[in-house]
Amino acid sequence: MLFRDDRFGLFLHYGIYAVGGWHEQEQWRRGIPKEEYIRYAEKFCPAPDCTEQWLSLARDAGMTYVCFTAKHHDGFCLWDTAYTDYSVTHYTGRDLVRELSDGCAKTGMKLALYYSLPDWHCPFSVNDGRHHRLPEPNPGDTPDEQRYKDYLKAQIGELLTNYGKIDALFWDIPPDDPAETDESINEYVRSLQPGILINDRGYSKGDYRTPERTVPSEPFAGLTEACQSVGVQAWGYRADEDYYSHRFLMESVDRIMTKGGNYLLNVGPMPDGSIPAEAAESVRAVGAWYKTVCESYMDAEFVYHKDIPYGMTRKGNCLYVHLPAVPQSSAVRMRPLTVKPVHASVLNTGEDVRASVEYLPTFFGGNAAVRPEYLRISGIPVNRLTDEVIILRLEFAPSDMDDVLRQLAK
Ligand code: GLC
């Protein structure tokens, strides 16, 4: 179930824009005429095993779901659709949603599909210069919002009936005018896939929020799935991409997951479907770290105390202390906690660290007769683990847990 057992997913932006290798919105951002852009479709060449490669990368990284761009803004469809010839099936004889959904069913991977509301190819789509729409219709287009919605619904009907269970629908680019809110589309989606979760970028509100390339500072009020690409410039394949540092990505995952959010880490496969080496390396590095620390997120609750400058999560009688920023020193001071854990360790490596409740020189308040004692965790191997987000696991005696929670609630 997404948002409970399935917290970490692979976002895949794959489409004919990979042939240009510049950005998934190249058609719009570089003003490429439609007739010219569609030639990318002729060079689009998904390798026979590309969906398997994606699934195995996701699995290796400890991910349990994938979100796939069935149709991005350029309108090119990655499945066998009856409603346009502008599809992978028409050009290559393949149906990538089929291959991916079969692979997911076989391996237990959950599947989410991305579908863009803007469409830069469909002749009915309204391209009128609003955000993420072309400045004007393509030559020969007959824009008609209602006909476009019928087209969109028909395609969603295919995606949600022909490919087994779809766990989530990721709409993109909601209409900017609230007058265009239309509940009936999500209702239709739910009628086809009763258990599906729908994001907040469609014609109506949906079930979960989708902060993009950002970590909101406030606690999350409802279901939240953050998304972030491994590359700075694009979501689709970019030949000359600038890659985020692994550490930056780990910090982002940690901050989101500590607050209970899900995380989609994105890669843009190349025209043949293979994932650029640097992108795959990012996913592997973040995944290797994630697998060592994920117990601190799964089924854990977010804990906040205004005087403790670290992220915290709790599960049973374990408190996890997250150090997403570069640690200042080899110890953390957990004021106002005065309870000593029975066991303290670094989750990343499993090694023990020291726990003590003591009066430290920096706790001196001007009167030597008053010697406040607080929990200190020391001997953290910060200089060895500079490349990762360190997470400490503090296990308390079950009988001490009430005290711990009372002190943290203050
Ligand atoms: C933005 C972009 C789009 C990308 C998406 C991922 O909305 O328009 O290119 O697919 O973010 O969340």
Side-chain angles (χ1 to χ4, degrees):
M1 171 88 177
L2 247 56
F3 297 100
R4 197 190 56 211
D5 324 295
D6 305 299
R7 302 282 308 276
F8 192 27
L10 184 66
F11 208 170
L12 290 150
H13 274 68
Y14 186 45
I16 62 171
Y17 40 78
V19 174
W22 192 77
H23 188 275
E24 73 282 0
Q25 297 173 14
E26 183 176 12
Q27 184 181 355
W28 179 42
R29 295 195 185 200
R30 285 178 131 181
I32 301 182
K34 172 171 157 179
E35 291 316 310
E36 200 179 306
Y37 182 79
I38 62 179
R39 283 194 226 125
Y40 281 162
E42 286 151 23
K43 298 200 182 123
F44 190 55
C45 51
D49 66 340
C50 64
T51 59
E52 282 165 39
Q53 289 180 32
W54 307 337
L55 291 176
S56 90
L57 178 68
R59 215 174 14 258
D60 287 352
M63 295 164 162
T64 56
Y65 71 108
V66 294
C67 180
F68 181 60
T69 49
K71 189 198 85 170
H72 205 264
H73 311 332
D74 65 2
F76 188 80
C77 301
L78 278 299
W79 75 100
D80 182 9
T81 174
Y83 300 96
T84 177
D85 279 349
Y86 199 46
S87 76
V88 68
T89 314
H90 180 76
Y91 283 89
T92 69
R94 305 273 294 281
D95 178 342
L96 293 179
V97 173
R98 167 82 54 222
E99 294 174 26
L100 192 59
S101 60
D102 283 354
C104 285
K106 216 182 297 162
T107 57
M109 193 70 76
K110 307 287 187 313
L111 178 61
L113 294 177
Y114 168 111
Y115 189 98
S116 166
L117 273 57
D119 190 310
W120 303 332
H121 186 91
C122 173
F124 317 129
S125 164
V126 181
N127 282 298
D128 56 3
R130 280 184 288 166
H131 78 125
H132 289 81
R133 296 172 195 242
L134 299 178
E136 54 191 36
N138 292 303
D141 279 4
T142 50
D144 179 334
E145 192 64 53
Q146 191 50 52
R147 279 185 83 182
Y148 177 63
K149 249 190 203 176
D150 293 344
Y151 172 80
L152 171 149
K153 267 182 95 170
Q155 290 205 316
I156 286 295
E158 292 178 326
L159 289 170
L160 300 183
T161 45
N162 297 342
Y163 299 95
K165 184 168 184 329
I166 305 298
D167 295 274
L169 181 60
F170 193 115
W171 296 116
D172 200 13
I173 315 294
D176 37 21
D177 182 353
E180 288 175 78
T181 300
D182 181 349
E183 295 290 346
S184 73
I185 308 275
N186 280 357
E187 279 163 19
Y188 177 59
V189 168
R190 291 186 209 284
S191 75
L192 301 175
Q193 291 270 345
I196 200 167
L197 289 164
I198 309 175
N199 80 350
D200 61 349
R201 301 189 189 181
Y203 288 99
S204 59
K205 206 166 141 261
D207 305 310
Y208 64 95
R209 293 171 58 221
T210 52
E212 179 176 311
R213 292 189 188 269
T214 169
V215 180
S217 52
E218 71 284 358
F220 302 152
L223 296 181
T224 301
E225 179 194 64
C227 52
Q228 167 75 51
S229 192
V230 295
V232 175
Q233 294 294 331
W235 296 80
Y237 170 57
R238 177 167 168 79
D240 188 17
E241 185 56 283
D242 304 320
Y243 288 93
Y244 289 103
S245 68
H246 300 165
R247 172 146 194 133
F248 171 85
L249 295 172
M250 289 173 201
E251 289 182 17
S252 164
V253 171
D254 181 72
R255 289 179 204 271
I256 293 287
M257 288 207 182
T258 297
K259 289 198 227 169
N262 266 25
Y263 202 93
L264 270 182
L265 186 59
N266 173 78
V267 294
M270 299 193 278
D272 69 355
S274 58
I275 295 172
E278 240 174 312
E281 184 45 37
S282 291
V283 173
R284 280 200 196 94
V286 176
W289 161 82
Y290 174 78
K291 287 192 282 187
T292 64
V293 300
C294 64
E295 80 162 66
S296 67
Y297 311 119
M298 306 301 286
D299 299 316
E301 79 180 276
F302 175 52
V303 179
Y304 171 79
H305 189 284
K306 64 176 179 26
D307 295 335
I308 299 182
Y310 313 109
M312 288 184 287
T313 50
R314 181 189 75 105
K315 181 159 48 179
N317 51 328
C318 281
L319 183 70
Y320 299 93
V321 183
H322 303 246
L323 314 182
V326 175
Q328 287 180 357
S329 79
S330 57
V332 296
R333 294 184 302 269
M334 300 291 291
R335 183 188 209 152
L337 280 182
T338 63
V339 184
K340 187 177 160 190
V342 289
H343 187 210
S345 57
V346 177
L347 200 51
N348 310 52
T349 57
E351 68 203 279
D352 289 356
V353 283
R354 295 189 296 277
S356 53
V357 173
E358 59 179 301
Y359 172 45
L360 292 172
T362 53
F363 293 154
F364 178 61
N367 176 358
V370 181
R371 300 169 199 165
E373 296 188 337
Y374 295 108
L375 176 60
R376 167 190 181 221
I377 307 296
S378 56
I380 305 166
V382 286
N383 293 320
R384 188 158 27 89
L385 298 179
T386 46
D387 294 341
E388 2 186 327
V389 170
I390 297 175
I391 297 172
L392 307 172
R393 179 181 188 273
L394 311 184
E395 187 185 334
F396 292 91
S399 55
D400 281 341
M401 228 29 223
D402 283 352
D403 280 346
V404 170
L405 292 178
R406 199 166 341 99
Q407 292 178 354
L408 287 173
K410 276 184 197 151

